[in-house]
């Protein structure tokens, strides 16, 4: 039994490293304080869809649409590499904006339009963000707790920030919680 547990654990660790090998949204860490980082993000292109519903339902629905897009559901039938993170932002009306960031080499001029007209291709300019990193299954209670921790830190450090939380997820849904990488981010002013 111990042998099988060891094999399964080793497999999960190896598999989680493979799932985390996707290109990550380019950024430079300006300051690190434990699980909190202040980062400069480079200009990047993203594919984004707006979906209504609970965060979980909206994320599932949006992920399917965006995955179809990068799997060739676009005007040139181009397959686009999956990157990390997948980002979620709740809007004032309760809807969600879910996005996939395009690989660094793709810009607004060479990113194909989606077959699905609900998907927008958007250029995001350079931005400075604060992030708090954590593991686990990111339910709303955990996301709220981490957002509160990051807000408290930013206030204590006299940072001015946009109060709209960005949730960022780096792993496939089947990766065990203790191996997951999640973040809550706020844009700094």
């Amino acid at each position: 039994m111990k042998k099988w547990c060891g094999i399964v654990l080793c497999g999960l660790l190896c598999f989680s490293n493979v799932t985390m090998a996707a290109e990550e949204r380019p950024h430079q860490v300006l300051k690190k304080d434990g699980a909190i980082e202040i980062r400069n993000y480079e200009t990047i292109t993203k594919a984004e869809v707006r979906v209504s519903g609970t965060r979980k339902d909206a994320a599932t629905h949006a992920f399917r649409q965006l995955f179809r897009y990068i799997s060739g559901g676009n005007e040139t039938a181009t397959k686009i590499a999956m990157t990390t993170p997948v980002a979620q932002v709740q809007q004032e009306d309760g809807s969600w904006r879910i996005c996939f960031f395009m690989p660094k080499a793709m810009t607004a001029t060479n990113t194909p339009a989606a077959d699905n007209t609900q998907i927008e291709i958007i250029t995001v300019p350079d931005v400075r963000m604060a992030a708090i990193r954590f593991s686990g299954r990111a339910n709303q209670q955990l996301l709220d707790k981490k957002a509160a921790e990051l807000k408290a830190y930013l206030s204590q450090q006299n940072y001015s920030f946009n109060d709209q939380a960005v949730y960022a997820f780096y792993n496939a849904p089947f990766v065990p919680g203790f191996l997951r990488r999640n973040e809550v981010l706020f844009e700094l002013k």
Side-chain angles (χ1 to χ4, degrees):
M1 182 67 170
K2 284 184 180 181
K3 181 179 178 181
W4 284 109
C5 288
I7 290 170
V8 169
L9 182 60
C10 183
L12 285 172
L13 289 172
C14 290
F15 184 72
S16 72
N17 286 338
V18 170
T19 63
M20 292 172 52
E23 180 181 326
E24 187 175 325
R25 183 179 177 192
H27 66 275
Q28 177 185 24
V29 176
L30 303 176
K31 179 181 178 182
K32 183 167 177 56
D33 190 354
I36 295 173
E37 292 181 348
I38 305 300
R39 302 172 181 164
N40 268 346
Y41 282 94
E42 300 175 15
T43 298
I44 195 155
T45 303
K46 67 179 178 178
E48 181 178 88
V49 66
R50 187 175 183 152
V51 183
S52 295
T54 65
R55 186 181 69 80
K56 183 178 178 182
D57 290 343
T60 299
H61 184 66
F63 187 90
R64 287 183 187 134
Q65 292 181 62
L66 292 166
F67 191 77
R68 266 183 249 139
Y69 167 72
I70 68 169
S71 297
N74 54 65
E75 67 184 357
T76 59
T78 302
K79 292 190 180 197
I80 301 168
M82 182 77 189
T83 64
T84 60
V86 174
Q88 305 173 353
V89 179
Q90 188 169 29
Q91 303 302 292
E92 288 182 13
D93 67 0
S95 66
W96 291 88
R97 289 197 171 271
I98 314 289
C99 79
F100 283 6
F101 295 99
M102 297 295 98
K104 186 177 179 179
M106 296 184 78
T107 65
T109 57
N110 66 3
T111 299
D115 291 344
N116 178 345
T117 58
Q118 293 181 336
I119 296 174
E120 296 180 73
I121 305 304
I122 300 167
T123 299
V124 182
D126 291 3
V127 65
R128 194 166 56 125
M129 307 274 297
I132 186 166
R133 185 176 178 165
F134 56 99
S135 60
R137 294 246 171 232
N139 59 37
Q140 196 60 52
Q141 183 179 358
L142 181 57
L143 292 167
D144 291 344
K145 176 184 174 191
K146 294 302 178 179
E149 286 178 30
L150 183 54
K151 283 181 181 181
Y153 174 87
L154 294 173
S155 294
Q156 182 185 42
Q157 299 292 316
N158 295 315
Y159 283 102
S160 180
F161 59 96
N162 179 333
D163 198 24
Q164 188 175 45
V166 176
Y167 303 138
F169 305 100
Y170 289 79
N171 305 98
F174 47 80
V175 173
F178 70 96
L179 293 173
R180 288 175 177 257
R181 176 182 172 190
N182 312 300
E183 294 176 344
V184 175
L185 302 96
F186 290 105
E187 182 178 343
L188 300 177
K189 296 179 181 178

